Amino acid sequence: MSEELLAQKAAKGDSLAFEELLRAYEKRVYNMALKMTANPDDAADLTQEAFIRVWRSLKDFKGDSKFSTWLFRIVSNLCADHARRQSRRKETPLIFGEEDDAYEYEPPDERFEPERELSQKELREELDAAIASLGDDHREIFLMREVYDLSYAEIGEALGLEEGTVKSRLHRTRQKLREFLLARGNIPESFASKGMKGDEKR
Amino acid sequence: MKHCEKYIELISAYVDGELSEAEVSELEAHLVSCEDCRRTLEFYRELSTLEQESMVEPPAGLHDSIMTAVKREKRRPFVRAIPALVGSLAACLVIAVGVGYFGGFGGANETAGMDVMMSARTMDTTVETEGAVPAEAGGLVLATTGAGASVGGEVAFDSAPNYNGAIADSEDSGETTAAYDPSATVESPYSDSSSAIESAKLGDSYDSDKSDYTAPAEPRATPAPQGDNSTSYGTAANDLPLEETTAEATTTDAPRMMSAAMPEIASAIVDGSIVIDADAVTDFSYDNRMYELSDDADANEMLKLLDHFASLELKPLGEVPNVDGLAFSGVTVWYGDTILVFVYYPDGYVVEGDNWYAFE
């Protein structure tokens, strides 16, 4: 059953249909909230609030956009509200890596395999720190792409941006992440494309 | 390679699967000869992988907590009654109407023993109210909100233009009339064309012989655009029992339950049969929780709830199949031949006039 159909049923009070949607999205919504709030309790509250809001306003879901886009617009708004409330309080971002050292990443092409100077776990922690260093706009769009796996069109719809803007903002976000990691000196040298450093040429 | 910036942006979109075929070909050709860009690509891919790897499971219990909350919402008791009492959102007011009041007006026997708390609030076409009203508790809470000092005026006059006559006729009845504040209704958000027409008609009815009377601009009666609701907004005004009604009743599409009941309530307020102590009653009940209107947070929460209810659409179910007092599993309050309030568990049905509705 499509998500849009599930949404229609849920809008009529079918809590089982709603639960299917919840299952499909709760992890992604929670992780988005977690990255945006840097606080597991806030993230859980925000996730709950988001889904209750979804339940209450499903009748307004017209089906002319995808359910995922509509949902993330709600989440995005809640995250923005949260950020406003927190704006006076600078908190140290938490590091969220799960201890999963069994991680094995296989590059699609061995010729490009980077040297492994940091463990994957360390890399993830570095990345979390890098993401935390981003402005809210860049962080959000990056998470929508990487955590939610939304297309540019969907992100654009959810955030009210042109696709071209989404594209360039994501590009800029990735550059910022790399700059951050390079500045910390903690990413594998092989990632450090020299092209990133001004006019230096190889 | 010198001009890699262009490619770096392409790489970002490439990782996201957002490049056209032509762009893919162009980029891949470039990658063969540019190690920097290969590193960039590798880094971007690594970013994606790391990000997805770092996703954690939501806390245990979050899922159930959400479902519990959702199911609780589904079961909330619901009252929808007293359509469109005009008031100002600026203030909330609850009127306590005692048992004696209903007795005094004959009918409404089922309400004996109940206290009805009532307040008025501005809304599109109907005032939604909800109460925590277990039948066995012997109490019915009907809550709406309205403008503070002008309770009498709001409830009685604005909701049914017919009563403007009654009010105007009883200008000597002190407090209530004094409390009537036409300006409050002027600020009412209902200002569509039909309201204007209504006002004009009211003006015709009143202005010539009541020069000091300010025709309410109140448009509360504008029923309309709430879809199916309008089916219950019949010609009720024409059926009003009040002989002294001066308005031609041409304007009111008011739901029957209201138009039949509110006149007498209005009269009772005017003649003092009902004493409204606006200061004494300050709460609102919903879902077994009392909201204190004196508490800003509570009052705001209540308004939010009302807004939410106002946004729900109704699905017509036809005529009410059981018109005898306690109906279904809820509580029905009758006033004369009119259902004043209908509370239904668990999903919330609405009765307006002879018709009832489910929430869609």
Side-chain angles (χ1 to χ4, degrees):
Chain A
M1 192 179 299
S2 78
E3 288 173 355
E4 284 67 33
L5 193 53
L6 285 171
Q8 284 175 23
K9 290 169 74 92
K12 292 185 171 131
D14 183 339
S15 55
L16 288 178
F18 176 82
E19 190 162 17
E20 270 200 58
L21 292 169
L22 174 62
R23 257 191 214 104
Y25 285 98
E26 60 193 338
K27 181 173 179 180
R28 280 183 278 174
V29 169
Y30 175 75
N31 277 276
M32 175 93 173
L34 186 59
K35 302 273 181 179
M36 293 299 287
T37 63
N39 180 318
D41 290 338
D42 286 352
D45 288 349
L46 210 147
T47 303
Q48 171 145 344
E49 194 178 343
F51 279 105
I52 289 173
R53 195 170 288 194
V54 165
W55 171 257
R56 287 177 180 165
S57 52
L58 263 170
K59 65 191 177 323
D60 299 326
F61 173 63
K62 300 302 182 206
D64 47 9
S65 63
K66 290 182 67 178
F67 174 78
S68 57
T69 310
W70 181 77
L71 166 66
F72 295 134
R73 194 180 300 133
I74 289 176
V75 176
S76 169
N77 287 338
L78 284 172
C79 285
D81 288 348
H82 181 272
R84 270 193 290 279
R85 287 196 299 272
Q86 297 290 312
S87 61
R88 297 277 168 225
R89 259 177 70 208
K90 188 66 186 169
E91 294 185 46
T92 308
L94 302 182
I95 301 299
F96 313 106
E98 283 295 277
E99 311 340 300
D100 180 10
D101 291 319
Y103 166 71
E104 283 178 33
Y105 170 63
E106 291 191 26
D109 185 332
E110 300 209 339
R111 284 177 301 162
F112 298 156
E113 180 167 9
E115 306 146 42
R116 300 281 169 181
E117 297 179 356
L118 294 180
S119 72
Q120 292 301 323
K121 181 186 166 197
E122 287 167 323
L123 262 182
R124 285 204 298 272
E125 289 173 357
E126 279 299 297
L127 178 58
D128 282 333
I131 288 170
S133 77
L134 294 170
D136 286 340
D137 284 355
H138 286 103
R139 178 165 52 236
E140 179 178 65
I141 204 164
F142 182 71
L143 295 174
M144 290 180 90
R145 175 68 207 111
E146 300 289 12
V147 177
Y148 286 162
D149 199 25
L150 295 188
S151 71
Y152 288 5
E154 290 165 340
I155 294 171
E157 188 184 337
L159 299 181
L161 300 173
E162 298 290 328
E163 278 186 50
T165 308
V166 173
K167 180 179 173 185
S168 59
R169 196 175 284 182
L170 273 167
H171 161 62
R172 183 72 197 119
T173 300
R174 289 184 168 114
Q175 284 188 311
K176 280 172 175 285
L177 289 172
R178 182 154 68 171
E179 285 162 9
F180 179 92
L181 293 171
L182 279 175
R184 306 249 293 206
N186 272 338
I187 64 170
E189 185 60 29
S190 60
F191 285 164
S193 158
K194 296 175 183 67
M196 289 300 297
K197 298 175 179 172
D199 293 321
E200 185 178 338
K201 294 171 187 162
R202 33 188 326 257
Chain B
M1 289 314 237
K2 301 165 201 71
H3 297 100
C4 288
E5 272 137 50
K6 164 190 170 189
Y7 291 111
I8 291 172
E9 180 159 359
L10 287 182
I11 290 167
S12 173
Y14 181 68
V15 169
D16 293 331
E18 298 272 354
L19 287 188
S20 69
E21 279 186 36
E23 288 169 320
V24 168
S25 303
E26 182 186 356
L27 176 62
E28 287 179 346
H30 172 76
L31 286 171
V32 169
S33 61
C34 180
E35 188 185 340
D36 264 3
C37 284
R38 287 201 299 272
R39 288 179 174 178
T40 300
L41 171 62
E42 186 53 38
F43 175 71
Y44 284 179
R45 283 180 168 153
E46 186 77 6
L47 275 185
S48 295
T49 306
L50 286 171
E51 192 52 48
Q52 279 147 32
E53 280 287 318
S54 72
M55 282 186 35
V56 299
E57 290 299 323
L62 179 60
H63 178 95
D64 289 345
S65 166
I66 292 170
M67 287 311 297
T68 301
V70 160
K71 285 172 181 161
R72 192 187 312 130
E73 294 237 329
K74 209 180 160 188
R75 275 200 311 274
R76 69 199 162 190
F78 220 109
V79 182
R80 182 188 176 107
I82 311 294
L85 301 182
V86 168
S88 153
L89 287 179
C92 303
L93 201 146
V94 178
I95 309 164
V97 182
V99 181
Y101 154 66
F102 284 99
F105 283 93
N109 296 329
E110 286 78 8
T111 65
M114 291 184 178
D115 282 339
V116 174
M117 289 168 48
M118 189 171 73
S119 60
R121 175 180 187 260
T122 301
M123 253 187 215
D124 283 349
T125 61
T126 51
V127 167
E128 333 251 11
T129 60
E130 57 284 80
V133 189
E136 51 277 55
L140 171 65
V141 178
L142 190 176
T144 58
T145 70
S150 52
V151 168
E154 302 292 352
V155 170
F157 317 129
D158 295 333
S159 53
N162 316 50
Y163 294 114
N164 294 323
I167 252 303
D169 289 343
S170 44
E171 279 174 341
D172 56 342
S173 69
E175 298 174 21
T176 308
T177 307
Y180 177 45
D181 175 13
S183 66
T185 64
V186 169
E187 291 166 8
S188 148
Y190 311 111
S191 39
D192 59 24
S193 57
S194 64
S195 300
I197 292 168
E198 193 169 273
S199 296
K201 287 180 177 172
L202 285 171
D204 291 345
S205 300
Y206 294 113
D207 286 351
S208 57
D209 53 348
K210 307 251 182 213
S211 59
D212 57 341
Y213 174 72
T214 304
E218 74 339 10
R220 84 101 205 115
T222 53
Q226 222 175 335
D228 292 317
N229 270 353
S230 58
T231 59
S232 67
Y233 290 47
T235 55
N238 293 322
D239 301 334
L240 285 177
L242 294 197
E243 323 275 301
E244 66 272 31
T245 295
T246 53
E248 300 308 328
T250 53
T251 60
T252 336
D253 290 326
R256 192 169 187 170
M257 54 186 281
M258 190 203 75
S259 53
M262 293 313 294
E264 306 208 23
I265 294 175
S267 300
I269 292 170
V270 170
D271 70 18
S273 311
I274 298 176
V275 176
I276 299 168
D277 184 351
D279 294 326
V281 188
T282 54
D283 57 31
F284 167 86
S285 174
Y286 168 62
D287 201 7
N288 293 319
R289 197 197 140 184
M290 296 296 283
Y291 294 84
E292 297 292 332
L293 299 190
S294 57
D295 178 312
D296 283 352
D298 268 3
N300 285 336
E301 185 61 28
M302 187 198 73
L303 291 177
K304 270 193 271 178
L305 286 169
L306 290 172
D307 276 336
H308 168 64
F309 299 147
S311 70
L312 297 178
E313 294 204 353
L314 298 178
K315 171 186 177 186
L317 297 177
E319 283 209 352
V320 178
N322 177 353
V323 288
D324 248 335
L326 296 179
F328 315 105
S329 59
V331 178
T332 308
V333 174
W334 290 85
Y335 185 65
D337 291 323
T338 300
I339 294 173
L340 198 58
V341 178
F342 182 66
V343 190
Y344 185 78
Y345 290 90
D347 285 333
Y349 286 86
V350 169
V351 172
E352 286 179 346
D354 293 331
N355 297 297
W356 64 313
Y357 303 81
F359 290 102
E360 290 212 283

